[in-house]
Amino acid sequence: MTFAYASLVTHQLFRTDPRDMSKNNTSSYLDLSVLYGINETQQDLVRDKEKGRGLLYPDVFAEDRLVLVPPAATALLVLFSRNHNVSIFTSFTS
């Protein structure tokens, strides 16, 4: 599990600009952009906006670079997305 978390953190912190390899396109925060997306276009692909509750589509994540990492890292992202949906749902029903 340590390597899975390390893989997520690495992909979170390092997104090299393809046009200028010396430029990093990420923020200095660990904001789970690998799950939620780095811009509104990516966020629209993972969020179910029709229901208006801020839920994510089931078992999705925004980062396409993670397809080639070990499955444990993507499984963690699926767990994070399920936890997001449960937390949001319980806050609306409370």
Side-chain angles (χ1 to χ4, degrees), residues 3-13 34 66 73 76-77 80:
F3 293 114
Y5 280 111
S7 179
L8 291 179
V9 169
T10 301
H11 282 83
Q12 173 71 43
L13 294 176
V34 291
L66 292 174
L76 280 174
L77 284 178
F80 292 159

Side-chain angles (χ1 to χ4, degrees), residues 11-28:
H11 282 83
Q12 173 71 43
L13 294 176
F14 300 104
R15 174 184 290 278
T16 306
D17 188 355
R19 291 167 287 180
D20 182 7
M21 298 302 259
S22 65
K23 184 178 176 187
N24 189 7
N25 286 339
T26 60
S27 70
S28 60

Side-chain angles (χ1 to χ4, degrees), residues 40-80:
E40 193 167 348
T41 305
Q42 279 189 346
Q43 291 170 3
D44 289 343
L45 293 174
V46 295
R47 292 226 182 235
D48 186 5
K49 293 188 173 185
E50 291 180 13
K51 296 181 183 176
R53 296 190 329 204
L55 297 176
L56 298 173
Y57 288 116
D59 301 343
V60 298
F61 51 89
E63 186 61 61
D64 56 354
R65 298 180 301 159
L66 292 174
V67 175
L68 301 175
V69 299
T74 55
L76 280 174
L77 284 178
V78 168
L79 289 175
F80 292 159

